[in-house]
Amino acid sequence: MSQPQKKSARRRSRELVVQGLYQWQMTQHDAMHIELNLRDETDEFNRCDIPLFKSLLSGVIDQVETLQQQVTRYLDRPYEDISPVEKAVLLLATYEFCHQAEIPYRVVINEAIELAKTFGGTDGHKYVNGVLDKLAAELRAPEVAAGRAPRKTDPA
């Protein structure tokens, strides 16, 4: 029997950012207030990558209008009709595409899918995946193109 995989500190950070962005959507509190609330409410906080958490949460909140505009181009419905969890995941991934170039786009998408599976509705992860695939092709075009280029094989 295999043991469950331990969550990395970075994964915990992203989970807390999604929770924080959900709170932000409901309350419009600033990032510091949300951070303090999460510190008080969860034991996970001390096991996350705190600098990453702070950077992601404040970065998304500070740039939410730009991030929304980028995401909205690839939605099949009005932004307002997207669930708060899916919005949080999409905003976080979009921020990472734009400001965390050292993280491969496939990792950003995979993390977003896992977050949507953990916190979202039944098929929310499929929707997130579809939107982020299109967004990655725009925001990380050279990286995506390199990943999709046919590989040369050795001659027989």
Side-chain angles (χ1 to χ4, degrees):
M1 185 186 284
S2 65
Q3 295 182 359
Q5 192 174 16
K6 290 181 79 174
K7 290 181 191 175
S8 72
R10 293 178 71 83
R11 168 70 58 86
R12 283 189 180 93
S13 297
R14 289 183 180 98
E15 288 178 349
L16 289 169
V17 169
V18 168
Q19 292 173 16
L21 291 172
Y22 183 91
Q23 284 182 26
W24 176 80
Q25 291 175 76
M26 299 300 129
T27 65
Q28 296 298 302
H29 289 143
D30 65 23
M32 181 57 80
H33 186 273
I34 291 168
E35 177 186 337
L36 293 173
N37 191 32
L38 288 170
R39 279 183 189 267
D40 291 343
E41 286 184 1
T42 180
D43 295 332
E44 292 290 302
F45 197 86
N46 291 325
R47 294 193 301 255
C48 82
D49 179 335
I50 294 172
L52 177 65
F53 165 81
K54 289 179 176 194
S55 170
L56 294 175
L57 182 66
S58 63
V60 172
I61 291 172
D62 290 346
Q63 297 182 22
V64 71
E65 290 175 11
T66 301
L67 299 171
Q68 285 175 353
Q69 289 171 357
Q70 290 171 314
V71 167
T72 300
R73 293 193 299 261
Y74 298 103
L75 301 179
D76 64 354
R77 60 190 95 149
Y79 183 80
E80 299 74 34
D81 292 349
I82 305 298
S83 81
V85 169
E86 289 170 3
K87 283 180 192 174
V89 172
L90 290 169
L91 292 171
L92 172 58
T94 303
Y95 181 84
E96 288 195 87
F97 281 154
C98 295
H99 300 284
Q100 305 277 310
E102 71 279 4
I103 300 172
Y105 82 94
R106 289 180 191 210
V107 171
V108 173
I109 292 174
N110 287 339
E111 288 290 311
I113 290 168
E114 291 305 314
L115 292 166
K117 285 179 180 178
T118 299
F119 297 110
T122 305
D123 287 331
H125 68 282
K126 294 176 186 176
Y127 188 72
V128 164
N129 186 29
V131 172
L132 293 179
D133 276 342
K134 294 172 191 163
L135 193 58
E138 174 191 340
L139 297 177
R140 297 275 189 98
E143 184 183 355
V144 171
R148 292 184 180 160
R151 297 175 188 225
K152 294 182 180 181
T153 56
D154 289 1

